[in-house]
Short mmCIF file of all heavy atoms in Angstrom, two decimals:
data_model
loop_
_atom_site.label_atom_id
_atom_site.label_comp_id
_atom_site.label_asym_id
_atom_site.label_seq_id
_atom_site.Cartn_x
_atom_site.Cartn_y
_atom_site.Cartn_z
N HIS A 405 -19.50 81.19 -29.90
CA HIS A 405 -20.94 81.19 -29.74
C HIS A 405 -21.30 81.88 -28.38
O HIS A 405 -22.16 82.77 -28.37
CB HIS A 405 -21.50 79.78 -29.79
CG HIS A 405 -22.94 79.69 -29.39
ND1 HIS A 405 -23.99 79.88 -30.29
CD2 HIS A 405 -23.54 79.51 -28.18
CE1 HIS A 405 -25.12 79.77 -29.65
NE2 HIS A 405 -24.89 79.57 -28.38
N ILE A 406 -20.68 81.44 -27.33
CA ILE A 406 -20.98 81.97 -26.01
C ILE A 406 -20.72 83.47 -25.93
O ILE A 406 -21.52 84.28 -25.45
CB ILE A 406 -20.12 81.24 -24.94
CG1 ILE A 406 -20.66 79.81 -24.72
CG2 ILE A 406 -20.14 82.02 -23.60
CD1 ILE A 406 -19.84 78.97 -23.77
N GLU A 407 -19.54 83.88 -26.43
CA GLU A 407 -19.18 85.31 -26.33
C GLU A 407 -20.05 86.20 -27.16
O GLU A 407 -20.46 87.26 -26.69
CB GLU A 407 -17.68 85.48 -26.68
CG GLU A 407 -16.79 84.78 -25.67
CD GLU A 407 -15.31 85.15 -25.76
OE1 GLU A 407 -14.89 85.59 -26.84
OE2 GLU A 407 -14.62 85.03 -24.75
N SER A 408 -20.40 85.73 -28.36
CA SER A 408 -21.22 86.65 -29.19
C SER A 408 -22.66 86.64 -28.69
O SER A 408 -23.35 87.60 -28.80
CB SER A 408 -21.13 86.27 -30.67
OG SER A 408 -21.67 84.99 -30.87
N ASP A 409 -23.08 85.57 -28.11
CA ASP A 409 -24.47 85.46 -27.63
C ASP A 409 -24.71 86.22 -26.35
O ASP A 409 -25.78 86.77 -26.14
CB ASP A 409 -24.78 83.96 -27.42
CG ASP A 409 -26.26 83.70 -27.32
OD1 ASP A 409 -27.00 84.24 -28.13
OD2 ASP A 409 -26.66 82.94 -26.41
N THR A 410 -23.71 86.29 -25.50
CA THR A 410 -23.96 86.88 -24.15
C THR A 410 -23.09 88.05 -23.81
O THR A 410 -23.26 88.69 -22.76
CB THR A 410 -23.68 85.80 -23.06
OG1 THR A 410 -22.33 85.42 -23.12
CG2 THR A 410 -24.56 84.59 -23.22
N GLY A 411 -22.07 88.36 -24.67
CA GLY A 411 -21.23 89.51 -24.44
C GLY A 411 -20.26 89.36 -23.29
O GLY A 411 -19.67 90.36 -22.85
N ILE A 412 -20.10 88.13 -22.78
CA ILE A 412 -19.10 87.98 -21.70
C ILE A 412 -17.80 87.52 -22.29
O ILE A 412 -17.75 87.10 -23.44
CB ILE A 412 -19.57 86.99 -20.60
CG1 ILE A 412 -19.62 85.56 -21.17
CG2 ILE A 412 -20.89 87.39 -20.00
CD1 ILE A 412 -19.67 84.48 -20.11
N ARG A 413 -16.76 87.51 -21.48
CA ARG A 413 -15.47 86.94 -21.90
C ARG A 413 -15.40 85.55 -21.30
O ARG A 413 -15.55 85.40 -20.06
CB ARG A 413 -14.38 87.84 -21.35
CG ARG A 413 -13.02 87.54 -21.81
CD ARG A 413 -12.02 88.52 -21.26
NE ARG A 413 -10.76 88.11 -21.83
CZ ARG A 413 -10.29 88.56 -22.99
NH1 ARG A 413 -10.96 89.42 -23.70
NH2 ARG A 413 -9.12 88.14 -23.44
N ALA A 414 -15.24 84.53 -22.13
CA ALA A 414 -15.22 83.17 -21.66
C ALA A 414 -13.81 82.61 -21.57
O ALA A 414 -13.13 82.50 -22.59
CB ALA A 414 -16.08 82.29 -22.58
N GLN A 415 -13.34 82.37 -20.36
CA GLN A 415 -12.00 81.91 -20.12
C GLN A 415 -11.95 80.42 -19.79
O GLN A 415 -12.87 79.93 -19.08
CB GLN A 415 -11.37 82.70 -18.98
CG GLN A 415 -11.21 84.17 -19.23
CD GLN A 415 -9.97 84.49 -19.98
OE1 GLN A 415 -10.05 85.26 -20.94
NE2 GLN A 415 -8.81 83.95 -19.62
N ASP A 416 -10.92 79.73 -20.21
CA ASP A 416 -10.78 78.31 -20.02
C ASP A 416 -9.84 77.99 -18.85
O ASP A 416 -8.73 78.52 -18.83
CB ASP A 416 -10.26 77.68 -21.29
CG ASP A 416 -10.36 76.15 -21.33
OD1 ASP A 416 -11.06 75.58 -20.42
OD2 ASP A 416 -9.75 75.54 -22.21
N ILE A 417 -10.32 77.19 -17.87
CA ILE A 417 -9.43 76.79 -16.80
C ILE A 417 -9.41 75.27 -16.75
O ILE A 417 -10.36 74.60 -17.07
CB ILE A 417 -9.84 77.38 -15.43
CG1 ILE A 417 -11.16 76.81 -14.93
CG2 ILE A 417 -9.90 78.90 -15.51
CD1 ILE A 417 -11.43 77.13 -13.45
N TYR A 418 -8.26 74.72 -16.28
CA TYR A 418 -8.07 73.26 -16.35
C TYR A 418 -7.59 72.70 -15.00
O TYR A 418 -6.86 73.36 -14.28
CB TYR A 418 -7.02 72.96 -17.45
CG TYR A 418 -6.55 71.51 -17.46
CD1 TYR A 418 -7.32 70.53 -18.07
CD2 TYR A 418 -5.37 71.15 -16.85
CE1 TYR A 418 -6.91 69.19 -18.09
CE2 TYR A 418 -4.93 69.81 -16.87
CZ TYR A 418 -5.70 68.86 -17.48
OH TYR A 418 -5.31 67.55 -17.52
N GLY A 419 -8.03 71.52 -14.73
CA GLY A 419 -7.54 70.83 -13.53
C GLY A 419 -8.13 69.46 -13.41
O GLY A 419 -9.03 69.09 -14.19
N LEU A 420 -7.63 68.67 -12.47
CA LEU A 420 -8.21 67.34 -12.23
C LEU A 420 -8.00 66.97 -10.77
O LEU A 420 -7.01 67.38 -10.16
CB LEU A 420 -7.61 66.27 -13.18
CG LEU A 420 -6.11 66.01 -13.18
CD1 LEU A 420 -5.85 64.66 -13.79
CD2 LEU A 420 -5.37 67.08 -13.99
N SER A 421 -8.92 66.19 -10.23
CA SER A 421 -8.89 65.85 -8.81
C SER A 421 -7.59 65.23 -8.39
O SER A 421 -7.03 65.57 -7.33
CB SER A 421 -9.96 64.82 -8.49
OG SER A 421 -11.16 65.05 -9.22
#
Side-chain angles (χ1 to χ4, degrees):
H405 170 88
I406 288 176
E407 294 193 336
S408 65
D409 196 43
T410 62
I412 67 163
R413 189 177 180 88
Q415 295 279 131
D416 191 12
I417 69 167
Y418 171 80
L420 60 161
S421 323

